[in-house]
Amino acid sequence: MSVTRILGFESSCDETGVALVEVSGRAAPRLVAQALHSQIAMHQAYGGVVPELASRDHVRRVLPLAREVLAQAGCTLADVDLVAYTQGPGLAGALLVGAGVAVSLAAALDVPALPIHHLEGHLLSPFLSADPPEFPFVALLVSGGHTQLMRVDDVGAYEILGETIDDAAGEAFDKSAKLLGLPYPGGPHLARMAEFGNPEAFDLPRPLLHSGKPDFSFAGLKTAVLTQVKKIGDSPCEQTKADLAASTQAAIVEVLVKKSLLALKATGLKRLVVAGGVGANAKLREQLNAVCAKRGVRVHYPELSLCTDNGAMIAMAAALRVQRGSAATRRDGGFEVRPRWELGAA
Ligand code: KG4
Ligand code: ZN
């Protein structure tokens, strides 16, 4: 059986990721090597991602990371059969770096290039775990920019069941964390602080909790956190801050869990896949595991290190498409990036 080696590039935001995945017949694709550079330390000084700095750093990192991946895999460029890259959504300049390098590399090697949707990468990232899901499933996609519940029947067969009407769950974590004086990106910092807090100390809103639909709204929560931050004053004690962090996390997690159950009930499916950066949240995992176990629902997560952006999920999405014969590859050296792009849209 011939092996197809896919080199994948991710550069949609503040992580440069490169990975090599091998696919052979119907066997599960295999992650051979990956390398990642996070720009978090660089953006921290500004309290958020600075797009121009992000693009410049991708330029600096992308080729050394590709070399590192090939060296780890014991391969050379001549072994690469296909080059995949994130086409969108994301920051236009950042996307252009990964796409430009990937398409140029493909042209130089005379192999096809394959654009991949960033959210499809997240959605299929649990296929990189030791316990991959089976189709169909409900997916809860919770990243810094997106919060969606989806019915997934196969690779490329996505139906959006509900999504946020304003902020994403990751944004709710990050904005609340910023109000608490925590560094960017606030989600993991807020989660750590919440470990020592009382989740019932502050009564925060659960927007749209009872809407009866799998939709979300997190903008009001951020405003409520701001009100509480003003109330507790300039120099609150660490315990009060931890209590507010725990209460914020509890509000976000409760909404995500309730809406996931709603989507499972509406579709009648018994499998849930959680993907995207917020999927790394321990409280979310604990509560989803508990309610799903009660209902006989299996929950799949990506490996913790693969919840946030990485090249492996892009190469894996490409591999699954190649396997199904649904890879819309290009060989003409042309490309476009799509900073705003709905999953499922043409
Ligand atoms: O998927 P991702 O890397 O980027 C996007 O595609 O947006 O997700 C990043 C988001 C950030 O908002 C970050 O704060 C959040 O995921 N995040 C977390 C945790 N780890 C990452 N939020 C809550 N708890 C965590 N442990
Ligand atoms: Zn992402």
Side-chain angles (χ1 to χ4, degrees):
M1 187 70 67
S2 77
V3 175
T4 304
R5 290 195 184 85
I6 301 168
L7 191 62
F9 289 88
E10 156 62 33
S11 72
S12 66
C13 189
D14 56 354
E15 256 104 26
T16 323
V18 184
L20 189 81
V21 165
E22 272 183 8
V23 55
S24 169
R26 300 300 304 163
R30 188 171 77 88
L31 174 65
V32 183
Q34 63 158 329
L36 187 75
H37 175 78
S38 170
Q39 304 177 352
I40 284 176
M42 181 180 81
H43 295 297
Q44 231 156 32
Y46 306 91
V49 177
V50 184
E52 179 66 21
L53 294 183
S55 311
R56 290 172 187 223
D57 201 59
H58 287 306
V59 169
R60 273 192 293 273
R61 309 287 175 180
V62 65
L63 285 177
L65 287 172
R67 275 194 205 100
E68 191 182 323
V69 165
L70 291 170
Q72 263 182 50
C75 290
T76 68
L77 279 174
D79 298 312
V80 174
D81 302 300
L82 190 149
V83 187
Y85 62 93
T86 304
Q87 185 177 27
L91 301 169
L95 289 165
L96 279 168
V97 177
V101 166
V103 171
S104 310
L105 203 55
L109 297 171
D110 196 22
V111 300
L114 177 60
I116 294 290
H117 196 296
H118 179 79
L119 296 182
E120 178 169 79
H122 276 302
L123 203 63
L124 301 177
S125 59
F127 285 88
L128 289 156
S129 74
D131 178 28
E134 277 170 35
F135 297 104
F137 53 78
V138 168
L140 171 67
L141 203 84
V142 272
S143 70
H146 292 81
T147 297
Q148 293 180 332
L149 273 158
M150 248 173 283
R151 181 192 166 101
V152 179
D153 284 293
D154 199 353
V155 176
Y158 312 121
E159 182 196 343
I160 296 181
L161 303 169
E163 59 189 329
T164 182
I165 57 168
D166 42 54
D167 289 354
E171 252 175 308
F173 267 106
D174 294 346
K175 288 178 177 173
S176 304
K178 200 169 187 177
L179 293 170
L180 281 163
L182 296 170
Y184 169 85
H189 291 282
L190 188 143
R192 257 194 304 280
M193 186 172 239
E195 281 174 33
F196 308 100
N198 171 8
E200 285 164 13
F202 290 86
D203 187 18
L204 296 173
R206 272 76 167 149
L208 298 184
L209 188 65
H210 302 295
S211 71
K213 290 187 285 181
D215 49 4
F216 305 88
S217 166
F218 289 109
L221 177 62
K222 171 195 61 194
T223 312
V225 172
L226 175 62
T227 307
Q228 296 303 331
V229 165
K230 283 184 180 154
K231 261 195 207 156
I232 61 181
D234 283 343
S235 41
C237 69
E238 284 306 301
Q239 189 57 52
T240 306
K241 278 166 69 177
D243 287 347
L244 186 49
S247 302
T248 306
Q249 176 173 261
I252 299 171
V253 167
E254 184 179 344
V255 174
L256 294 177
V257 170
K258 282 259 163 65
K259 299 289 179 168
S260 300
L261 289 181
L262 201 62
L264 285 161
K265 201 165 167 207
T267 55
L269 296 176
K270 292 284 183 193
R271 204 169 285 117
L272 178 69
V273 160
V274 184
V278 181
N281 187 269
K283 201 39 116 193
L284 176 65
R285 287 185 175 217
E286 180 191 308
Q287 296 202 1
L288 275 178
N289 288 345
V291 297
C292 288
K294 264 197 212 152
R295 289 164 177 78
V297 172
R298 284 214 54 192
V299 197
H300 296 263
Y301 305 93
E303 303 288 335
L304 264 185
S305 64
L306 296 176
C307 283
T308 44
D309 296 346
N310 61 83
M313 68 184 195
I314 301 303
M316 174 53 84
L320 292 170
R321 282 196 168 264
V322 165
Q323 231 172 11
R324 282 163 176 73
S326 64
T329 55
R330 282 178 77 162
R331 299 193 76 117
D332 62 353
F335 71 95
E336 60 185 37
V337 295
R338 302 179 72 174
R340 299 179 70 82
W341 185 14
E342 280 266 309
L343 188 59

PDB file of all heavy atoms in Angstrom, residues 118 122 143 309, ligand 2:
ATOM      1  N   HIS A 118      -9.654  26.094   9.324  1.00  0.00           N
ATOM      2  CA  HIS A 118      -9.072  25.994  10.665  1.00  0.00           C
ATOM      3  C   HIS A 118     -10.007  25.252  11.639  1.00  0.00           C
ATOM      4  O   HIS A 118      -9.551  24.419  12.445  1.00  0.00           O
ATOM      5  CB  HIS A 118      -8.796  27.414  11.180  1.00  0.00           C
ATOM      6  CG  HIS A 118      -8.221  27.481  12.544  1.00  0.00           C
ATOM      7  ND1 HIS A 118      -6.890  27.254  12.806  1.00  0.00           N
ATOM      8  CD2 HIS A 118      -8.800  27.731  13.751  1.00  0.00           C
ATOM      9  CE1 HIS A 118      -6.678  27.384  14.101  1.00  0.00           C
ATOM     10  NE2 HIS A 118      -7.820  27.668  14.705  1.00  0.00           N
ATOM     11  N   HIS A 122      -9.677  21.824  14.093  1.00  0.00           N
ATOM     12  CA  HIS A 122     -10.018  21.623  15.509  1.00  0.00           C
ATOM     13  C   HIS A 122     -10.987  20.453  15.674  1.00  0.00           C
ATOM     14  O   HIS A 122     -10.821  19.586  16.530  1.00  0.00           O
ATOM     15  CB  HIS A 122     -10.683  22.875  16.084  1.00  0.00           C
ATOM     16  CG  HIS A 122      -9.714  23.918  16.542  1.00  0.00           C
ATOM     17  ND1 HIS A 122      -8.747  23.674  17.488  1.00  0.00           N
ATOM     18  CD2 HIS A 122      -9.570  25.233  16.201  1.00  0.00           C
ATOM     19  CE1 HIS A 122      -8.051  24.781  17.706  1.00  0.00           C
ATOM     20  NE2 HIS A 122      -8.517  25.733  16.923  1.00  0.00           N
ATOM     21  N   SER A 143     -13.429  27.832  20.883  1.00  0.00           N
ATOM     22  CA  SER A 143     -12.080  28.401  20.733  1.00  0.00           C
ATOM     23  C   SER A 143     -12.112  29.870  21.125  1.00  0.00           C
ATOM     24  O   SER A 143     -13.103  30.359  21.671  1.00  0.00           O
ATOM     25  CB  SER A 143     -11.606  28.221  19.301  1.00  0.00           C
ATOM     26  OG  SER A 143     -12.340  29.062  18.459  1.00  0.00           O
ATOM     27  N   ASP A 309      -4.217  25.854  18.983  1.00  0.00           N
ATOM     28  CA  ASP A 309      -3.797  25.756  17.582  1.00  0.00           C
ATOM     29  C   ASP A 309      -2.492  24.986  17.394  1.00  0.00           C
ATOM     30  O   ASP A 309      -1.561  25.120  18.187  1.00  0.00           O
ATOM     31  CB  ASP A 309      -3.637  27.169  17.002  1.00  0.00           C
ATOM     32  CG  ASP A 309      -4.967  27.907  16.970  1.00  0.00           C
ATOM     33  OD1 ASP A 309      -6.011  27.249  17.131  1.00  0.00           O
ATOM     34  OD2 ASP A 309      -4.946  29.125  16.767  1.00  0.00           O
TER      35      ASP A 309
HETATM   36 ZN    ZN B   2      -7.971  27.661  16.766  1.00  0.00          ZN
END
